Amino acid sequence: MKVSEIYNLAINKGIEEDFRGREGVAKFLKRKKERFEKLTEEEKKEFDLETLENPYSDSRILHAADDKDIKRVLVGIDIEPAEILLAKELGGIDLIVSHHPLGKALANLSDVMELQCDILSQYGVPINIAEGLMKERIEEVARGVNRVNHQRTVDAAKLLGLNLICVHTAADNLAANFLKEKIEGAGPERIEDLMALLKEVPEYKEAVKFGVGPKLFTGSENNRCGKIALTEITGGAEGSPKLYEKMAQAGIGTVVGMHVSEDQRKEAEAANITLVIAGHMSSDSLGMNLFLDELEKQGIEIIPCSGLIRISRNQ
Ligand SMILES: [Fe+2]
């Protein structure tokens, strides 16, 4: 497979398992196109045309050094210049895949967060409230990532002539859908049942060994789960802390997330929402693994690094 084929596979898998469904994604892209067509010629020059085809602004080909057939891939949750050097040191690495966004994909991270409005609305939060509170948060994230040194790792890959891509929301969608199906299939009654269910997932089982298995951030094991929402596994970055009160009013009892800030935790507690934090690197690994399994099936060797807990489901 070539770099572009691997990248397209990631995007397509992300769309396949997107909570909005294929139709929802198509609608989102159609609207993007309509808005693009209304821009002036000057504005069109600055417009990123890839956003018309790819719904995940945080997943990109960052540097295509050559067009070779990819046989060995170094994959990590965070790729920094250290991992680029590591690839060089290891030798024979045809492509480096980062989960967390870099370069342009990091600069445009906030663009994918609109997905969270759709997910919140599916769980019963009125769309106007979801959009209102998310708008504030999306702008905050956009400003937050504005100051960082986006191109640092990309520059390192360019200097060493290494192919580099990042797959963020496209992979998080796979983790979110996997967990949704598992949880809804089992229908756990109490939080302890939900925790036990999560610990059946090999990535979480592995994370338990490092002290970062699924943890309860609010509520107790004895609590009943109520309606369980998977609102914080995919969608770019953490949502607004103000949402918890609205989620409680929408009938949500438990939120399963990857990670939360202390501000969010306090708001969830005040709203009597039980927060089950499945784990960050482990949840990121779960989504990446479901994509990497497809590469493995094509005979590509996967070398995990930088926090990726590699579990293959191909056997
Ligand atoms: Fe992450």
Side-chain angles (χ1 to χ4, degrees), residues 31-79:
R31 207 177 125 69
K32 262 247 142 101
K33 201 163 204 165
E34 286 165 0
R35 292 177 75 180
F36 168 73
E37 273 152 15
K38 284 186 191 142
L39 297 178
T40 64
E41 283 314 306
E42 266 321 291
E43 286 167 331
K44 277 183 182 167
K45 276 185 207 156
E46 284 189 11
F47 191 88
D48 180 1
L49 291 172
E50 203 185 321
T51 62
L52 300 177
E53 313 280 333
N54 170 1
Y56 313 116
S57 58
D58 58 357
S59 307
R60 288 303 169 103
I61 294 179
L62 299 160
H63 182 58
D66 49 45
D67 197 28
K68 66 179 161 199
D69 225 18
I70 306 298
K71 304 248 185 291
R72 269 177 109 212
V73 183
L74 182 73
V75 191
I77 303 299
D78 292 288
I79 298 295

mmCIF file of all heavy atoms in Angstrom, residues 31-79:
data_model
loop_
_atom_site.group_PDB
_atom_site.id
_atom_site.type_symbol
_atom_site.label_atom_id
_atom_site.label_comp_id
_atom_site.label_asym_id
_atom_site.label_seq_id
_atom_site.Cartn_x
_atom_site.Cartn_y
_atom_site.Cartn_z
ATOM 1 N N ARG A 31 -22.667 20.611 2.961
ATOM 2 C CA ARG A 31 -22.814 21.952 3.509
ATOM 3 C C ARG A 31 -21.503 22.743 3.414
ATOM 4 O O ARG A 31 -21.490 23.936 3.111
ATOM 5 C CB ARG A 31 -23.248 21.840 4.980
ATOM 6 C CG ARG A 31 -24.031 23.017 5.445
ATOM 7 C CD ARG A 31 -24.500 22.857 6.863
ATOM 8 N NE ARG A 31 -24.051 23.986 7.668
ATOM 9 C CZ ARG A 31 -24.508 25.212 7.528
ATOM 10 N NH1 ARG A 31 -25.436 25.480 6.638
ATOM 11 N NH2 ARG A 31 -24.045 26.189 8.278
ATOM 12 N N LYS A 32 -20.399 22.040 3.648
ATOM 13 C CA LYS A 32 -19.061 22.662 3.526
ATOM 14 C C LYS A 32 -18.884 23.198 2.110
ATOM 15 O O LYS A 32 -18.409 24.303 1.900
ATOM 16 C CB LYS A 32 -17.979 21.598 3.777
ATOM 17 C CG LYS A 32 -17.431 21.589 5.176
ATOM 18 C CD LYS A 32 -15.986 22.013 5.249
ATOM 19 C CE LYS A 32 -15.724 22.852 6.475
ATOM 20 N NZ LYS A 32 -15.127 22.203 7.564
ATOM 21 N N LYS A 33 -19.280 22.378 1.148
ATOM 22 C CA LYS A 33 -19.135 22.728 -0.266
ATOM 23 C C LYS A 33 -19.998 23.946 -0.615
ATOM 24 O O LYS A 33 -19.549 24.865 -1.286
ATOM 25 C CB LYS A 33 -19.549 21.525 -1.124
ATOM 26 C CG LYS A 33 -19.000 21.573 -2.500
ATOM 27 C CD LYS A 33 -19.057 20.217 -3.174
ATOM 28 C CE LYS A 33 -18.005 20.165 -4.252
ATOM 29 N NZ LYS A 33 -17.748 18.843 -4.719
ATOM 30 N N GLU A 34 -21.219 23.936 -0.118
ATOM 31 C CA GLU A 34 -22.119 25.061 -0.391
ATOM 32 C C GLU A 34 -21.545 26.359 0.169
ATOM 33 O O GLU A 34 -21.624 27.411 -0.456
ATOM 34 C CB GLU A 34 -23.498 24.784 0.226
ATOM 35 C CG GLU A 34 -24.290 23.751 -0.555
ATOM 36 C CD GLU A 34 -25.483 23.178 0.212
ATOM 37 O OE1 GLU A 34 -25.715 23.589 1.388
ATOM 38 O OE2 GLU A 34 -26.155 22.299 -0.353
ATOM 39 N N ARG A 35 -20.969 26.257 1.348
ATOM 40 C CA ARG A 35 -20.390 27.457 1.966
ATOM 41 C C ARG A 35 -19.147 27.904 1.203
ATOM 42 O O ARG A 35 -18.897 29.094 1.068
ATOM 43 C CB ARG A 35 -20.069 27.196 3.432
ATOM 44 C CG ARG A 35 -21.359 27.017 4.238
ATOM 45 C CD ARG A 35 -21.108 26.679 5.662
ATOM 46 N NE ARG A 35 -20.651 27.842 6.416
ATOM 47 C CZ ARG A 35 -20.357 27.789 7.703
ATOM 48 N NH1 ARG A 35 -20.450 26.670 8.365
ATOM 49 N NH2 ARG A 35 -19.963 28.867 8.342
ATOM 50 N N PHE A 36 -18.396 26.930 0.703
ATOM 51 C CA PHE A 36 -17.187 27.236 -0.080
ATOM 52 C C PHE A 36 -17.565 28.011 -1.342
ATOM 53 O O PHE A 36 -16.930 28.993 -1.701
ATOM 54 C CB PHE A 36 -16.447 25.938 -0.441
ATOM 55 C CG PHE A 36 -15.369 26.103 -1.462
ATOM 56 C CD1 PHE A 36 -14.171 26.723 -1.130
ATOM 57 C CD2 PHE A 36 -15.548 25.652 -2.767
ATOM 58 C CE1 PHE A 36 -13.172 26.890 -2.079
ATOM 59 C CE2 PHE A 36 -14.554 25.817 -3.721
ATOM 60 C CZ PHE A 36 -13.362 26.439 -3.370
ATOM 61 N N GLU A 37 -18.645 27.532 -1.974
ATOM 62 C CA GLU A 37 -19.051 28.170 -3.224
ATOM 63 C C GLU A 37 -19.473 29.631 -3.044
ATOM 64 O O GLU A 37 -19.402 30.425 -3.970
ATOM 65 C CB GLU A 37 -20.151 27.347 -3.904
ATOM 66 C CG GLU A 37 -19.517 26.267 -4.779
ATOM 67 C CD GLU A 37 -20.373 25.023 -4.960
ATOM 68 O OE1 GLU A 37 -21.579 25.076 -4.648
ATOM 69 O OE2 GLU A 37 -19.801 23.996 -5.400
ATOM 70 N N LYS A 38 -19.864 29.968 -1.841
ATOM 71 C CA LYS A 38 -20.292 31.350 -1.590
ATOM 72 C C LYS A 38 -19.117 32.287 -1.291
ATOM 73 O O LYS A 38 -19.302 33.493 -1.175
ATOM 74 C CB LYS A 38 -21.277 31.366 -0.407
ATOM 75 C CG LYS A 38 -22.652 30.862 -0.801
ATOM 76 C CD LYS A 38 -23.639 31.013 0.322
ATOM 77 C CE LYS A 38 -24.913 30.255 -0.001
ATOM 78 N NZ LYS A 38 -25.492 29.598 1.146
ATOM 79 N N LEU A 39 -17.916 31.736 -1.145
ATOM 80 C CA LEU A 39 -16.753 32.559 -0.801
ATOM 81 C C LEU A 39 -16.308 33.409 -1.996
ATOM 82 O O LEU A 39 -16.591 33.080 -3.144
ATOM 83 C CB LEU A 39 -15.574 31.661 -0.368
ATOM 84 C CG LEU A 39 -15.759 30.814 0.887
ATOM 85 C CD1 LEU A 39 -14.514 29.969 1.121
ATOM 86 C CD2 LEU A 39 -16.041 31.665 2.117
ATOM 87 N N THR A 40 -15.593 34.476 -1.700
ATOM 88 C CA THR A 40 -15.033 35.313 -2.769
ATOM 89 C C THR A 40 -13.808 34.595 -3.338
ATOM 90 O O THR A 40 -13.293 33.663 -2.700
ATOM 91 C CB THR A 40 -14.573 36.685 -2.223
ATOM 92 O OG1 THR A 40 -13.500 36.433 -1.303
ATOM 93 C CG2 THR A 40 -15.685 37.429 -1.509
ATOM 94 N N GLU A 41 -13.331 35.023 -4.489
ATOM 95 C CA GLU A 41 -12.163 34.389 -5.106
ATOM 96 C C GLU A 41 -10.956 34.445 -4.174
ATOM 97 O O GLU A 41 -10.199 33.490 -4.065
ATOM 98 C CB GLU A 41 -11.835 35.047 -6.455
ATOM 99 C CG GLU A 41 -12.747 34.622 -7.603
ATOM 100 C CD GLU A 41 -12.984 33.115 -7.702
ATOM 101 O OE1 GLU A 41 -12.001 32.351 -7.759
ATOM 102 O OE2 GLU A 41 -14.165 32.685 -7.689
ATOM 103 N N GLU A 42 -10.800 35.584 -3.491
ATOM 104 C CA GLU A 42 -9.676 35.758 -2.551
ATOM 105 C C GLU A 42 -9.777 34.741 -1.413
ATOM 106 O O GLU A 42 -8.801 34.098 -1.054
ATOM 107 C CB GLU A 42 -9.704 37.179 -1.953
ATOM 108 C CG GLU A 42 -8.850 38.214 -2.656
ATOM 109 C CD GLU A 42 -7.499 37.722 -3.144
ATOM 110 O OE1 GLU A 42 -6.643 37.445 -2.285
ATOM 111 O OE2 GLU A 42 -7.306 37.607 -4.376
ATOM 112 N N GLU A 43 -10.982 34.610 -0.855
ATOM 113 C CA GLU A 43 -11.200 33.673 0.261
ATOM 114 C C GLU A 43 -10.977 32.228 -0.186
ATOM 115 O O GLU A 43 -10.458 31.413 0.560
ATOM 116 C CB GLU A 43 -12.618 33.836 0.828
ATOM 117 C CG GLU A 43 -12.795 35.102 1.644
ATOM 118 C CD GLU A 43 -14.261 35.431 1.950
ATOM 119 O OE1 GLU A 43 -15.156 35.062 1.145
ATOM 120 O OE2 GLU A 43 -14.515 36.066 2.977
ATOM 121 N N LYS A 44 -11.377 31.933 -1.427
ATOM 122 C CA LYS A 44 -11.226 30.570 -1.954
ATOM 123 C C LYS A 44 -9.752 30.164 -2.031
ATOM 124 O O LYS A 44 -9.408 29.009 -1.845
ATOM 125 C CB LYS A 44 -11.874 30.455 -3.346
ATOM 126 C CG LYS A 44 -13.372 30.219 -3.263
ATOM 127 C CD LYS A 44 -13.979 30.040 -4.637
ATOM 128 C CE LYS A 44 -15.484 29.867 -4.503
ATOM 129 N NZ LYS A 44 -16.193 29.975 -5.754
ATOM 130 N N LYS A 45 -8.879 31.141 -2.310
ATOM 131 C CA LYS A 45 -7.440 30.860 -2.413
ATOM 132 C C LYS A 45 -6.890 30.351 -1.080
ATOM 133 O O LYS A 45 -5.962 29.561 -1.044
ATOM 134 C CB LYS A 45 -6.689 32.131 -2.822
ATOM 135 C CG LYS A 45 -6.680 32.348 -4.317
ATOM 136 C CD LYS A 45 -5.808 33.549 -4.667
ATOM 137 C CE LYS A 45 -6.293 34.175 -5.956
ATOM 138 N NZ LYS A 45 -5.918 35.590 -6.064
ATOM 139 N N GLU A 46 -7.441 30.869 0.015
ATOM 140 C CA GLU A 46 -6.944 30.480 1.343
ATOM 141 C C GLU A 46 -7.641 29.230 1.866
ATOM 142 O O GLU A 46 -7.233 28.658 2.862
ATOM 143 C CB GLU A 46 -7.183 31.620 2.350
ATOM 144 C CG GLU A 46 -6.204 32.752 2.190
ATOM 145 C CD GLU A 46 -6.295 33.766 3.317
ATOM 146 O OE1 GLU A 46 -6.965 33.488 4.327
ATOM 147 O OE2 GLU A 46 -5.707 34.841 3.171
ATOM 148 N N PHE A 47 -8.690 28.821 1.216
ATOM 149 C CA PHE A 47 -9.507 27.696 1.694
ATOM 150 C C PHE A 47 -8.789 26.358 1.508
ATOM 151 O O PHE A 47 -8.165 26.109 0.475
ATOM 152 C CB PHE A 47 -10.841 27.685 0.937
ATOM 153 C CG PHE A 47 -11.851 26.755 1.521
ATOM 154 C CD1 PHE A 47 -12.708 27.176 2.524
ATOM 155 C CD2 PHE A 47 -11.949 25.435 1.078
ATOM 156 C CE1 PHE A 47 -13.651 26.315 3.075
ATOM 157 C CE2 PHE A 47 -12.878 24.562 1.624
ATOM 158 C CZ PHE A 47 -13.734 25.000 2.622
ATOM 159 N N ASP A 48 -8.868 25.517 2.508
ATOM 160 C CA ASP A 48 -8.236 24.203 2.449
ATOM 161 C C ASP A 48 -9.197 23.245 1.718
ATOM 162 O O ASP A 48 -10.185 22.777 2.293
ATOM 163 C CB ASP A 48 -7.979 23.733 3.883
ATOM 164 C CG ASP A 48 -7.327 22.362 3.929
ATOM 165 O OD1 ASP A 48 -7.064 21.801 2.855
ATOM 166 O OD2 ASP A 48 -7.099 21.871 5.047
ATOM 167 N N LEU A 49 -8.897 22.984 0.434
ATOM 168 C CA LEU A 49 -9.810 22.195 -0.404
ATOM 169 C C LEU A 49 -10.032 20.771 0.104
ATOM 170 O O LEU A 49 -11.069 20.170 -0.165
ATOM 171 C CB LEU A 49 -9.293 22.161 -1.848
ATOM 172 C CG LEU A 49 -9.376 23.492 -2.593
ATOM 173 C CD1 LEU A 49 -8.661 23.401 -3.930
ATOM 174 C CD2 LEU A 49 -10.830 23.927 -2.793
ATOM 175 N N GLU A 50 -9.069 20.261 0.854
ATOM 176 C CA GLU A 50 -9.222 18.883 1.343
ATOM 177 C C GLU A 50 -10.419 18.738 2.289
ATOM 178 O O GLU A 50 -11.000 17.663 2.405
ATOM 179 C CB GLU A 50 -7.935 18.401 2.020
ATOM 180 C CG GLU A 50 -7.890 16.882 1.996
ATOM 181 C CD GLU A 50 -6.733 16.288 2.742
ATOM 182 O OE1 GLU A 50 -5.627 16.845 2.677
ATOM 183 O OE2 GLU A 50 -6.963 15.246 3.384
ATOM 184 N N THR A 51 -10.786 19.843 2.932
ATOM 185 C CA THR A 51 -11.918 19.758 3.870
ATOM 186 C C THR A 51 -13.241 19.477 3.148
ATOM 187 O O THR A 51 -14.241 19.176 3.786
ATOM 188 C CB THR A 51 -12.066 21.042 4.718
ATOM 189 O OG1 THR A 51 -12.324 22.125 3.827
ATOM 190 C CG2 THR A 51 -10.821 21.330 5.535
ATOM 191 N N LEU A 52 -13.241 19.589 1.818
ATOM 192 C CA LEU A 52 -14.467 19.301 1.060
ATOM 193 C C LEU A 52 -14.672 17.793 0.877
ATOM 194 O O LEU A 52 -15.774 17.334 0.602
ATOM 195 C CB LEU A 52 -14.432 19.985 -0.304
ATOM 196 C CG LEU A 52 -14.305 21.518 -0.286
ATOM 197 C CD1 LEU A 52 -14.219 22.056 -1.697
ATOM 198 C CD2 LEU A 52 -15.469 22.166 0.456
ATOM 199 N N GLU A 53 -13.588 17.028 1.035
ATOM 200 C CA GLU A 53 -13.651 15.570 0.849
ATOM 201 C C GLU A 53 -13.478 14.815 2.165
ATOM 202 O O GLU A 53 -13.982 13.719 2.326
ATOM 203 C CB GLU A 53 -12.507 15.091 -0.077
ATOM 204 C CG GLU A 53 -12.321 15.894 -1.358
ATOM 205 C CD GLU A 53 -13.321 15.498 -2.408
ATOM 206 O OE1 GLU A 53 -13.778 14.346 -2.375
ATOM 207 O OE2 GLU A 53 -13.670 16.358 -3.258
ATOM 208 N N ASN A 54 -12.692 15.412 3.049
ATOM 209 C CA ASN A 54 -12.312 14.736 4.284
ATOM 210 C C ASN A 54 -12.957 15.438 5.484
ATOM 211 O O ASN A 54 -12.652 16.598 5.753
ATOM 212 C CB ASN A 54 -10.768 14.779 4.370
ATOM 213 C CG ASN A 54 -10.238 14.324 5.711
ATOM 214 O OD1 ASN A 54 -10.989 13.951 6.612
ATOM 215 N ND2 ASN A 54 -8.933 14.371 5.866
ATOM 216 N N PRO A 55 -13.846 14.734 6.190
ATOM 217 C CA PRO A 55 -14.550 15.385 7.299
ATOM 218 C C PRO A 55 -13.701 15.558 8.564
ATOM 219 O O PRO A 55 -14.160 16.144 9.532
ATOM 220 C CB PRO A 55 -15.725 14.434 7.564
ATOM 221 C CG PRO A 55 -15.260 13.101 7.089
ATOM 222 C CD PRO A 55 -14.296 13.351 5.968
ATOM 223 N N TYR A 56 -12.464 15.018 8.549
ATOM 224 C CA TYR A 56 -11.632 15.073 9.756
ATOM 225 C C TYR A 56 -10.419 15.978 9.549
ATOM 226 O O TYR A 56 -9.382 15.535 9.047
ATOM 227 C CB TYR A 56 -11.207 13.658 10.177
ATOM 228 C CG TYR A 56 -12.384 12.705 10.177
ATOM 229 C CD1 TYR A 56 -12.434 11.614 9.314
ATOM 230 C CD2 TYR A 56 -13.473 12.934 11.011
ATOM 231 C CE1 TYR A 56 -13.533 10.776 9.286
ATOM 232 C CE2 TYR A 56 -14.581 12.101 10.988
ATOM 233 C CZ TYR A 56 -14.600 11.023 10.119
ATOM 234 O OH TYR A 56 -15.696 10.198 10.097
ATOM 235 N N SER A 57 -10.567 17.214 9.951
ATOM 236 C CA SER A 57 -9.496 18.204 9.741
ATOM 237 C C SER A 57 -8.252 17.886 10.566
ATOM 238 O O SER A 57 -7.194 18.439 10.329
ATOM 239 C CB SER A 57 -10.011 19.581 10.143
ATOM 240 O OG SER A 57 -10.426 19.539 11.500
ATOM 241 N N ASP A 58 -8.396 16.971 11.551
ATOM 242 C CA ASP A 58 -7.257 16.656 12.424
ATOM 243 C C ASP A 58 -6.541 15.368 11.992
ATOM 244 O O ASP A 58 -5.786 14.790 12.768
ATOM 245 C CB ASP A 58 -7.731 16.546 13.885
ATOM 246 C CG ASP A 58 -8.805 15.490 14.070
ATOM 247 O OD1 ASP A 58 -9.242 14.874 13.070
ATOM 248 O OD2 ASP A 58 -9.218 15.273 15.227
ATOM 249 N N SER A 59 -6.827 14.892 10.799
ATOM 250 C CA SER A 59 -6.186 13.677 10.271
ATOM 251 C C SER A 59 -5.644 14.017 8.885
ATOM 252 O O SER A 59 -6.428 14.326 7.987
ATOM 253 C CB SER A 59 -7.207 12.540 10.176
ATOM 254 O OG SER A 59 -7.850 12.368 11.433
ATOM 255 N N ARG A 60 -4.344 13.995 8.707
ATOM 256 C CA ARG A 60 -3.752 14.483 7.463
ATOM 257 C C ARG A 60 -2.466 13.756 7.066
ATOM 258 O O ARG A 60 -1.776 13.208 7.922
ATOM 259 C CB ARG A 60 -3.376 15.969 7.599
ATOM 260 C CG ARG A 60 -4.555 16.912 7.610
ATOM 261 C CD ARG A 60 -5.344 16.716 6.362
ATOM 262 N NE ARG A 60 -6.617 17.398 6.439
ATOM 263 C CZ ARG A 60 -6.882 18.538 5.833
ATOM 264 N NH1 ARG A 60 -5.965 19.126 5.108
ATOM 265 N NH2 ARG A 60 -8.067 19.086 5.930
ATOM 266 N N ILE A 61 -2.166 13.851 5.771
ATOM 267 C CA ILE A 61 -0.826 13.469 5.320
ATOM 268 C C ILE A 61 0.017 14.715 5.590
ATOM 269 O O ILE A 61 -0.286 15.797 5.086
ATOM 270 C CB ILE A 61 -0.806 13.119 3.809
ATOM 271 C CG1 ILE A 61 -1.635 11.856 3.557
ATOM 272 C CG2 ILE A 61 0.645 12.942 3.333
ATOM 273 C CD1 ILE A 61 -1.723 11.423 2.099
ATOM 274 N N LEU A 62 1.029 14.584 6.422
ATOM 275 C CA LEU A 62 1.806 15.760 6.834
ATOM 276 C C LEU A 62 3.069 15.932 6.012
ATOM 277 O O LEU A 62 3.485 17.039 5.733
ATOM 278 C CB LEU A 62 2.148 15.640 8.323
ATOM 279 C CG LEU A 62 0.896 15.579 9.212
ATOM 280 C CD1 LEU A 62 1.221 14.981 10.551
ATOM 281 C CD2 LEU A 62 0.282 16.951 9.371
ATOM 282 N N HIS A 63 3.673 14.793 5.652
ATOM 283 C CA HIS A 63 4.822 14.860 4.754
ATOM 284 C C HIS A 63 4.918 13.576 3.936
ATOM 285 O O HIS A 63 5.032 12.491 4.502
ATOM 286 C CB HIS A 63 6.129 15.075 5.527
ATOM 287 C CG HIS A 63 7.306 15.189 4.605
ATOM 288 N ND1 HIS A 63 7.380 16.155 3.623
ATOM 289 C CD2 HIS A 63 8.424 14.436 4.480
ATOM 290 C CE1 HIS A 63 8.496 16.006 2.941
ATOM 291 N NE2 HIS A 63 9.156 14.971 3.432
ATOM 292 N N ALA A 64 4.829 13.725 2.625
ATOM 293 C CA ALA A 64 4.991 12.570 1.739
ATOM 294 C C ALA A 64 6.376 12.690 1.116
ATOM 295 O O ALA A 64 6.593 13.486 0.206
ATOM 296 C CB ALA A 64 3.899 12.566 0.683
ATOM 297 N N ALA A 65 7.312 11.931 1.674
ATOM 298 C CA ALA A 65 8.706 12.029 1.219
ATOM 299 C C ALA A 65 8.908 11.264 -0.089
ATOM 300 O O ALA A 65 9.681 11.679 -0.942
ATOM 301 C CB ALA A 65 9.638 11.493 2.294
ATOM 302 N N ASP A 66 8.215 10.143 -0.218
ATOM 303 C CA ASP A 66 8.335 9.356 -1.446
ATOM 304 C C ASP A 66 7.062 8.542 -1.655
ATOM 305 O O ASP A 66 6.182 8.545 -0.813
ATOM 306 C CB ASP A 66 9.562 8.430 -1.392
ATOM 307 C CG ASP A 66 9.613 7.652 -0.095
ATOM 308 O OD1 ASP A 66 8.564 7.123 0.319
ATOM 309 O OD2 ASP A 66 10.702 7.572 0.515
ATOM 310 N N ASP A 67 6.999 7.841 -2.781
ATOM 311 C CA ASP A 67 5.768 7.137 -3.145
ATOM 312 C C ASP A 67 5.967 5.627 -3.092
ATOM 313 O O ASP A 67 5.384 4.886 -3.859
ATOM 314 C CB ASP A 67 5.363 7.590 -4.563
ATOM 315 C CG ASP A 67 3.908 7.253 -4.846
ATOM 316 O OD1 ASP A 67 3.136 7.197 -3.864
ATOM 317 O OD2 ASP A 67 3.560 7.030 -6.018
ATOM 318 N N LYS A 68 6.823 5.179 -2.152
ATOM 319 C CA LYS A 68 7.135 3.746 -2.138
ATOM 320 C C LYS A 68 6.006 2.898 -1.530
ATOM 321 O O LYS A 68 5.084 3.430 -0.895
ATOM 322 C CB LYS A 68 8.441 3.508 -1.389
ATOM 323 C CG LYS A 68 8.396 3.836 0.086
ATOM 324 C CD LYS A 68 9.756 3.516 0.712
ATOM 325 C CE LYS A 68 9.918 4.233 2.035
ATOM 326 N NZ LYS A 68 11.279 4.342 2.484
ATOM 327 N N ASP A 69 6.148 1.596 -1.722
ATOM 328 C CA ASP A 69 5.218 0.653 -1.124
ATOM 329 C C ASP A 69 5.558 0.554 0.361
ATOM 330 O O ASP A 69 6.717 0.352 0.711
ATOM 331 C CB ASP A 69 5.436 -0.705 -1.815
ATOM 332 C CG ASP A 69 4.119 -1.339 -2.171
ATOM 333 O OD1 ASP A 69 3.109 -0.608 -2.201
ATOM 334 O OD2 ASP A 69 4.103 -2.559 -2.412
ATOM 335 N N ILE A 70 4.554 0.680 1.215
ATOM 336 C CA ILE A 70 4.818 0.724 2.658
ATOM 337 C C ILE A 70 4.797 -0.699 3.248
ATOM 338 O O ILE A 70 3.790 -1.407 3.129
ATOM 339 C CB ILE A 70 3.770 1.621 3.370
ATOM 340 C CG1 ILE A 70 3.704 3.015 2.717
ATOM 341 C CG2 ILE A 70 4.046 1.713 4.869
ATOM 342 C CD1 ILE A 70 4.956 3.843 2.754
ATOM 343 N N LYS A 71 5.904 -1.064 3.876
ATOM 344 C CA LYS A 71 6.004 -2.410 4.460
ATOM 345 C C LYS A 71 6.101 -2.373 5.988
ATOM 346 O O LYS A 71 5.625 -3.272 6.666
ATOM 347 C CB LYS A 71 7.263 -3.121 3.933
ATOM 348 C CG LYS A 71 7.331 -3.214 2.412
ATOM 349 C CD LYS A 71 7.190 -4.661 1.959
ATOM 350 C CE LYS A 71 7.371 -4.844 0.479
ATOM 351 N NZ LYS A 71 6.283 -4.259 -0.317
ATOM 352 N N ARG A 72 6.785 -1.339 6.514
ATOM 353 C CA ARG A 72 6.975 -1.234 7.973
ATOM 354 C C ARG A 72 6.568 0.161 8.438
ATOM 355 O O ARG A 72 7.018 1.159 7.869
ATOM 356 C CB ARG A 72 8.458 -1.414 8.325
ATOM 357 C CG ARG A 72 8.857 -2.827 8.616
ATOM 358 C CD ARG A 72 10.347 -2.867 8.877
ATOM 359 N NE ARG A 72 10.629 -3.127 10.274
ATOM 360 C CZ ARG A 72 11.686 -2.642 10.914
ATOM 361 N NH1 ARG A 72 12.530 -1.841 10.312
ATOM 362 N NH2 ARG A 72 11.879 -2.962 12.167
ATOM 363 N N VAL A 73 5.731 0.188 9.467
ATOM 364 C CA VAL A 73 5.213 1.471 9.939
ATOM 365 C C VAL A 73 5.507 1.645 11.426
ATOM 366 O O VAL A 73 5.272 0.727 12.225
ATOM 367 C CB VAL A 73 3.677 1.533 9.701
ATOM 368 C CG1 VAL A 73 3.113 2.874 10.103
ATOM 369 C CG2 VAL A 73 3.339 1.251 8.252
ATOM 370 N N LEU A 74 6.014 2.805 11.791
ATOM 371 C CA LEU A 74 6.208 3.134 13.211
ATOM 372 C C LEU A 74 4.995 3.951 13.639
ATOM 373 O O LEU A 74 4.694 4.979 13.028
ATOM 374 C CB LEU A 74 7.501 3.941 13.399
ATOM 375 C CG LEU A 74 7.851 4.308 14.851
ATOM 376 C CD1 LEU A 74 8.330 3.074 15.625
ATOM 377 C CD2 LEU A 74 8.922 5.402 14.914
ATOM 378 N N VAL A 75 4.273 3.469 14.663
ATOM 379 C CA VAL A 75 3.033 4.142 15.063
ATOM 380 C C VAL A 75 3.089 4.524 16.534
ATOM 381 O O VAL A 75 3.416 3.695 17.395
ATOM 382 C CB VAL A 75 1.796 3.228 14.844
ATOM 383 C CG1 VAL A 75 0.503 4.024 15.004
ATOM 384 C CG2 VAL A 75 1.836 2.549 13.489
ATOM 385 N N GLY A 76 2.755 5.778 16.829
ATOM 386 C CA GLY A 76 2.742 6.229 18.222
ATOM 387 C C GLY A 76 1.560 7.131 18.503
ATOM 388 O O GLY A 76 0.943 7.668 17.583
ATOM 389 N N ILE A 77 1.259 7.300 19.782
ATOM 390 C CA ILE A 77 0.160 8.208 20.150
ATOM 391 C C ILE A 77 0.614 9.653 19.941
ATOM 392 O O ILE A 77 -0.103 10.462 19.376
ATOM 393 C CB ILE A 77 -0.305 7.959 21.611
ATOM 394 C CG1 ILE A 77 -0.729 6.505 21.821
ATOM 395 C CG2 ILE A 77 -1.436 8.924 21.983
ATOM 396 C CD1 ILE A 77 -1.888 6.021 20.976
ATOM 397 N N ASP A 78 1.803 9.977 20.412
ATOM 398 C CA ASP A 78 2.370 11.309 20.178
ATOM 399 C C ASP A 78 3.677 11.137 19.427
ATOM 400 O O ASP A 78 4.568 10.428 19.905
ATOM 401 C CB ASP A 78 2.678 12.018 21.506
ATOM 402 C CG ASP A 78 1.406 12.359 22.260
ATOM 403 O OD1 ASP A 78 0.704 13.271 21.814
ATOM 404 O OD2 ASP A 78 1.130 11.693 23.277
ATOM 405 N N ILE A 79 3.774 11.760 18.279
ATOM 406 C CA ILE A 79 5.046 11.714 17.553
ATOM 407 C C ILE A 79 5.690 13.094 17.676
ATOM 408 O O ILE A 79 5.077 14.124 17.364
ATOM 409 C CB ILE A 79 4.843 11.316 16.068
ATOM 410 C CG1 ILE A 79 4.247 9.896 15.959
ATOM 411 C CG2 ILE A 79 6.175 11.417 15.301
ATOM 412 C CD1 ILE A 79 5.107 8.741 16.446
#
